[in-house]
């Protein structure tokens, strides 16, 4: 089957960058609603979106929408959809979802009803009563909004932030999708110095290096669609080839520093696993010791917020030190994400732009300071 309705989800704050990524991938007219972009595409498009989007969370096939005022309507609406085009007799069907202002509040009842309706449909259309559920996983997602139901199948599997290279987690790491959003909103480029002075497990620098070297974000991981019997599996290899063609090895001037030796150890490990260790530099260094004689560089960073890692008093001091360090590199752009409300006061400068994000459920601001003229 071809000509899919595709839904691409992205996190709050990342919509603008996901939109421009979609445009670059050939979808200038993708429509956004509540962090979900809808578009039409082929199996190859599904594979390309999964492989090449840096900032999206997941790629779904949208199976259908219907009015859903009660459980009977849920059963009938789901059963009326052509599940046999997507699922086979051995599919392991897992149902999850959310209800927003719907009368159908019980998620577990919705899950059971949806799964029963799908199986009843498949029994009839595939002419079998045996569903061993020992094949590939198909995650069915539903969204009940007021009196409307929409059902999807998740083509990604693990969230797209899971690039496949990070198997140990440092303290308060950024999601890779968020790190890419921050980078794409900054003026970072392969041609100028990039520094993260609070690099933790190295997410920002590692993701930046992968972008600058043209390494596809989905390289090295698997996707659910590639295991489905009813989906064109050849597209996975096609996009792997495209991804290999896009890689362009070059020298980079990207560095991450952290006061904690354990964080630097983790950064080095992740960079190696991500295939960029020969292109980036990580070193134990307190931010108070940072200086650079280089011109026109870029800082993108996620310092402690004064919650989990340091007390409010300590971050006030730390932001002041960071601000003083940045005063010595006036031609650099500085980009900082933090939930600390008075960041600018202690950093000692009013930002040129700030954008709202959520990091680990916490409301944050991403402050951008353009170089001083
Ligand atoms: C929020 S974490 C950064 C997480 C990182 N973005 C990641 O994805 O893993 C903040 C980091 O700042 C580091 N840090 C705290 N005080 C510091 C200082 N004075 N100089 C340099 N690094 C410091 C901590 O060790 C911690 O790793």
């Amino acid at each position: 089957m071809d000509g899919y309705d595709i839904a691409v989800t992205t996190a709050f704050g990342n919509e603008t960058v996901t939109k421009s990524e979609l445009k670059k991938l050939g979808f200038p007219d993708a429509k956004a609603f509540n962090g979900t972009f809808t578009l039409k595409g082929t199996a190859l498009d599904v594979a390309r979106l999964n492989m090449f989007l840096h900032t999206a969370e997941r790629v779904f096939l949208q199976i259908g929408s219907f009015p859903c005022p009660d459980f009977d309507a849920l059963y009938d609406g789901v059963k009326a959809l052509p599940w046999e085009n997507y699922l086979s007799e051995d599919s392991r069907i897992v149902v999850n979802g959310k209800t927003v202002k719907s009368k159908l509040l019980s998620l577990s009842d919705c899950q059971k009803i949806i799964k029963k309706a799908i199986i009843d449909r498949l029994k009839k259309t595939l002419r079998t009563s045996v569903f061993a559920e020992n094949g590939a996983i198909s995650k069915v997602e539903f969204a009940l909004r007021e009196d409307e139901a929409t059902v999807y199948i998740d083509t990604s599997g693990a969230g797209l932030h899971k690039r496949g290279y990070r198997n140990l987690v440092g303290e308060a790491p950024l999601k890779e999708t968020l790190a890419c959003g921050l980078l794409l909103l900054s003026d970072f480029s392969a041609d100028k110095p990039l520094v993260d002075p609070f690099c933790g497990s190295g997410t920002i620098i590692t993701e930046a290096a992968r972008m600058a070297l043209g390494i596809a974000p989905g390289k090295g991981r698997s996707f659910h669609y590639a295991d489905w019997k009813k989906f064109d599996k050849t597209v996975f290899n096609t996009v792997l080839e495209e991804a290999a063609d896009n890689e362009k090895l070059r020298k980079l001037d990207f560095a991450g520093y952290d006061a904690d030796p354990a964080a630097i150890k983790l950064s080095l490990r992740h960079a190696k696993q991500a295939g960029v260790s020969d292109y980036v530099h990580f070193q134990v260094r307190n931010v108070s010791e940072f200086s650079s004689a280089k011109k026109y560089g870029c800082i993108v960073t996620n310092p402690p917020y004064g919650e989990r890692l340091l007390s409010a008093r300590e971050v006030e001091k730390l932001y002041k030190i960071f601000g003083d360090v940045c005063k010595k590199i006036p031609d650099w752009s500085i980009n900082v994400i933090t939930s600390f409300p008075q960041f600018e006061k202690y950093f000692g400068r009013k930002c040129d732009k700030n954008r709202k994000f959520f990091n680990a459920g916490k409301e944050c601001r991403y402050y951008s300071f353009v170089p001083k003229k």
Side-chain angles (χ1 to χ4, degrees):
M1 187 190 153
D2 253 344
Y4 295 103
D5 287 317
I6 300 170
V8 174
T9 55
T10 192
F12 187 95
N14 261 352
E15 295 96 335
T16 333
V17 272
T18 304
K19 189 169 175 53
S20 55
E21 286 206 280
L22 284 168
K23 197 170 167 193
K24 277 196 193 135
L25 285 171
F27 301 97
D29 303 321
K31 300 265 174 312
F33 179 69
N34 274 343
T36 300
F37 288 88
T38 48
L39 46 112
K40 288 226 178 263
T42 62
L44 183 59
D45 291 324
V46 169
R48 293 186 77 239
L49 294 166
N50 273 301
M51 179 62 74
F52 297 119
L53 283 171
H54 293 89
T55 55
E57 296 297 321
R58 284 172 193 279
V59 178
F60 293 95
L61 301 181
Q62 189 169 319
I63 311 302
S65 284
F66 49 88
C68 189
D70 53 37
F71 286 120
D72 286 343
L74 182 62
Y75 177 86
D76 293 340
V78 171
K79 197 175 169 200
L81 295 170
W83 296 98
E84 61 280 5
N85 291 342
Y86 309 92
L87 304 173
S88 37
E89 59 294 335
D90 63 349
S91 296
R92 268 190 284 163
I93 302 166
V94 181
V95 183
N96 275 306
K98 57 180 179 217
T99 80
V100 185
K101 295 186 195 158
S102 162
K103 289 186 209 105
L104 311 189
L105 289 173
S106 164
L107 282 179
S108 60
D109 286 339
C110 293
Q111 284 169 303
K112 280 184 216 142
I113 287 167
I114 290 173
K115 186 153 176 181
K116 181 168 173 17
I118 294 172
I119 299 276
D120 287 349
R121 166 86 186 197
L122 292 178
K123 273 183 185 164
K124 215 168 129 202
T125 51
L126 301 181
R127 294 172 202 276
T128 177
S129 57
V130 184
F131 290 91
E133 298 208 43
N134 56 3
I137 297 180
S138 288
K139 286 200 290 177
V140 173
E141 289 277 334
F142 64 88
L144 295 172
R145 277 197 194 85
E146 296 180 356
D147 279 349
E148 175 92 357
T150 308
V151 277
Y152 309 86
I153 301 180
D154 180 356
T155 70
S156 306
L160 293 178
H161 67 282
K162 298 210 167 154
R163 313 292 205 215
Y165 64 78
R166 192 156 84 169
N167 50 3
L168 291 177
V169 180
E171 292 206 67
L174 277 183
K175 271 171 111 175
E176 291 77 350
T177 40
L178 175 54
C180 286
L182 304 182
L183 284 159
L184 291 169
L185 287 167
S186 78
D187 62 346
F188 109 96
S189 85
D191 308 316
K192 60 179 176 185
L194 173 71
V195 171
D196 179 355
F198 302 97
C199 71
S201 57
T203 319
I204 291 173
I205 293 297
T206 300
E207 285 297 316
R210 281 173 64 106
M211 273 199 255
L213 298 170
I215 300 174
K219 179 185 174 178
R221 58 157 281 164
S222 57
F223 303 97
H224 273 186
Y225 75 79
D227 297 325
W228 296 342
K229 284 186 179 165
K230 296 278 174 90
F231 201 80
D232 180 355
K233 284 205 224 24
T234 63
V235 294
F236 180 61
N237 286 330
T238 308
V239 290
L240 275 184
E241 282 166 25
E242 184 181 346
D245 287 347
N246 288 348
E247 291 186 15
K248 41 181 183 305
L249 304 184
R250 56 196 299 170
K251 227 168 156 300
L252 299 174
D253 187 357
F254 290 1
Y257 304 109
D258 200 287
D260 179 1
I264 292 301
K265 210 170 152 196
L266 210 50
S267 291
L268 290 167
R269 182 191 171 114
H270 288 152
K272 188 158 195 234
Q273 287 169 181
V276 299
S277 52
D278 290 343
Y279 302 88
V280 296
H281 176 73
F282 286 109
Q283 191 182 326
V284 179
R285 183 184 274 181
N286 197 297
V287 71
S288 59
E289 291 156 20
F290 175 74
S291 66
S292 178
K294 292 169 189 162
K295 292 245 166 231
Y296 313 114
C298 171
I299 285 182
V300 177
T301 196
N302 165 221
Y305 298 169
E307 286 155 2
R308 281 190 281 175
L309 304 182
L310 294 178
S311 73
R313 261 288 145 79
E314 286 169 318
V315 291
E316 288 168 7
K317 263 169 82 186
L318 186 62
Y319 291 167
K320 165 129 190 16
I321 294 169
F322 180 35
D324 290 344
V325 161
C326 290
K327 281 186 191 123
K328 295 183 192 147
I329 44 170
D331 50 21
W332 284 48
S333 75
I334 316 285
N335 305 276
V336 186
I337 184 167
T338 175
S339 67
F340 194 75
Q342 291 171 295
F343 169 74
E344 290 166 292
K345 175 175 168 193
Y346 294 97
F347 185 70
R349 190 171 155 192
K350 279 260 166 234
C351 71
D352 296 289
K353 187 156 195 163
N354 84 64
R355 299 173 177 88
K356 190 160 127 185
F357 273 93
F358 287 89
N359 178 19
K362 202 97 224 112
E363 185 176 325
C364 293
R365 294 275 155 183
Y366 183 45
Y367 299 92
S368 297
F369 303 86
V370 301
K372 284 193 170 162
K373 296 258 159 63

